Amino acid sequence: AVPCPLRGRAGGMDLAYVCEWEKKPKSNHCPSIPLVCAWSCRNLIAFTTDLRNEEEKDLTHMVHIIDTEHPWDVYSVNSGHTEVITCLEWDQSGSRLLSADADGHIKCWSMTDHLANSWENTVGSVVEGDPVVALSWLHNGVKLALHVEKSGASNFGEKFSRVKFSPSLTLFGGKPMEGWIAVTISGLVTVSLLKPNGQVLTATESLCRLRCRVALADVAFTGGGNIVVATSDGSSTSPVQFYKVCVSVVNEKCKIDTEILPSLFMRCTTDPARKDKYPAITHLKFLARDMSEQVLLCASNQNNSIVECWSLRKEGLPVNNIFQQISPVVGDKQPMILKWRILSATNDLDRVSAVALPKLPISLTNTDLKVANDTKFFPGLGLALAFHDGSVHIVHRLSLQMMAVFYGSSSQRPVDEPALKRPRTAGPLVHFKAMQLSWTSLALAGVDSHGKLSMLRISPSMGHVLDMNMSLRHLLFLLEYCMVTGYDWWDILLHVQPSMVQNLVEKLHEEYMRQNAALQQVLSTRIVAMKASLCKLSSSTIARVCDYHAKLFLIAISCTLKSLLRPHFLNTPDKSPGDRLTEICSKITDVDIDKVMINLKTEEFVLEMTTLQSLQQLIQWVGDFVLYLLASLPNQGSPVRPGHSFLRDGASLGMFRELMVVIRIWGLLKPSCLPVYTATSDTQDSMSLLFRLLTKLWLCCREENHITEPDDALIDECCLLPSQLLIPNIDWLPINDGIISKLQNKQLVRLQFGKAPGLVGHTVSSQFDAFVRAPGQPKIDHLRRLHLGAYPTEECKSCTRCGCVTMLKSPNKVTAVKQWEQRWIKNCLCGGLWRKMPLSYS
């Protein structure tokens, strides 16, 4: 069923970085057995180790959470599990983590104060003394399909279509109910439901009447809202059993119903040549958590493994002629039964130590597969197998044919002469014990038998050399997918070369402009954040990063300030004061600020004095930025200066113009909230001067398809600005300490947990430093625009993606300020998660 045999290519994977524990004499991190790891859609990775204390001879079961951009900044928590941790599972939103242990305890972890490096255990459930072998969050009913065939379509809705899929359980009104399901070793299934009020409903039921030992299990979901559980007792001579589980809530109690589905025997056990060769089943996985009709099995002996892929098909049951005369119903239509059929199997392989499955919900229709094969777009089509000799293979999820290979440090490269048997090296080899693919399948994280974490890049074309245009199309398709789903796109940035940045940003913008207005509004800030993160990767586009960050800030200020305006009469229909302000400002193109003001109802702008005063820092930023932009107009020829893109951006200049009008009106109420300018003469009205120049500049580029050059008179006036007003320094960029810019030259970066890397081999930093505050300078709160001093005493948090710094606790209790801060509680303006900073970060 697969168009062409895929040969494993060595160019498809390479190591991006490795991060290891430092050796301490008294206690050390040793990999737990079994070792587990999980990767969330926000690009946080959780994994386990056991902390062994030499003196007391006891083990502490630790859970570690890292963000892939700052892997050294590991958050390690003593899980409180008394027995070894057997499962870790992130939820769909990537904000909560489940851990389960060999004593039947399940814990749910969530972020404290929305900080990615601070976690607490809030709720949980327990099946006393019964080890958990499989664990999953219930399905929330959201399922997308990526259509590779439609990757050229203009509409995002066609490329990423929503699949009809029912949640496992719904509350009143069809809202999906949250909770988890687990399978224990003694054949019990337990379901816990989280009620909106924080209460947990738990029920436990045996999978079937005859309970038997479950060594391996996995959980998947069907489109109709049922749950399918696959179990095996670990022996390949026993069948792999499947059960349908239905969960319901009856009289405030959770109820579980189970039903037996068709089972299967692995083919290698019925094959006479291999009859007793593979006694144990070591891996049992559904190919995706929402594909219950495809399952991957691996059977092993001491040295070798074999992998099989099975699929559940509906088949007609042939009926004898005798019955056809008796029952006319049977004669017309054959009765249908469900039956497992083998799709593909591998030859004898080296022993498999870990399996990682793709999370990208790629559509598997024949046309999609054909287009994917023709264009060499393979993310989501490959699954990863790690072997005991340290190598990793990526094989096709349907045909199990090899697509790419990575040879670990200890695995020897294959030698050309087939006669040479590979000698087994003495002692155990280093190999991956747990692996996870990222949500776009462009990166693979593995934790090896020494507890070291490796990050592998996986090329979207599996090492096939493509022309630049095609490579860009692949990355663009996945960037759009992240834009639509809201997932983090760090793993895509691993593949962006500096030469691609300009093209990618332009193409992303083109695709965005082809969407309908409503979708554009929803994605308006996400696309700006995406462009900023791309521009960071090339030294020629660093100045644009500044512009994109300023634009995000402008959009946020504009929304917040406009939302403070209140209609004077509550029964006023049609438009909110903010919308009316926009309309009037765009209609009245007068250059005199007072003439524009006259058209507005000033009573809508009346606010409390304390509110106005508390907004002064934000107002000051608007004033400073407008002055900086106008003063930089004369030397606008250089795109390497920040602010350049604003000079042709009619929408942004229009926003600044509206804000100037609002600020002017507020200044009449409370003069101390106005922006402060240092002017050479006492009499000049700085605000109306800036408004006049800003309006002239805005009129030049108001219509996108008809942009004119600013005339000489305007440029001459802007040339005089520095002699009339003191031009402020703008704080452009937070310090960027992430790893992504260090990975571009494809050199392996070696890191240590708990130790920030030195600034070695920085290529980009020289251009970057021009827009960043030097290390000794006073720090600034980037979101509140407050100065924190050179050695801040307040606790701060910084963004894991753009590095913005802001104080954890609010210094101001005014509602307007709370409204501004409420925007940043969960994420930074670029959408990144927050991490708490050590007090000594200066």
Side-chain angles (χ1 to χ4, degrees), residues 7 12 79 99 119 161 216 246 270 321 401 406 423 441 479 501 544 547 568 606 633 770 774:
R7 228 180 53 247
S79 63
S99 64
W119 294 76
S161 63
L216 301 169
C246 305
T270 54
N321 289 341
Q401 277 172 333
F406 168 76
S441 286
L479 280 170
V501 169
R544 307 241 307 262
D547 288 7
H568 187 50
V606 178
L633 180 64

Side-chain angles (χ1 to χ4, degrees), residues 379-417:
L381 289 176
L383 55 97
L385 303 173
F387 297 98
H388 272 259
D389 66 355
S391 63
V392 178
H393 291 182
I394 294 200
V395 298
H396 196 285
R397 62 191 278 179
L398 298 176
S399 66
L400 295 182
Q401 277 172 333
M402 179 113 77
M403 298 164 82
V405 194
F406 168 76
Y407 298 105
S409 48
S410 53
S411 60
Q412 295 154 341
R413 319 264 150 158
V415 188
D416 290 336
E417 301 97 75

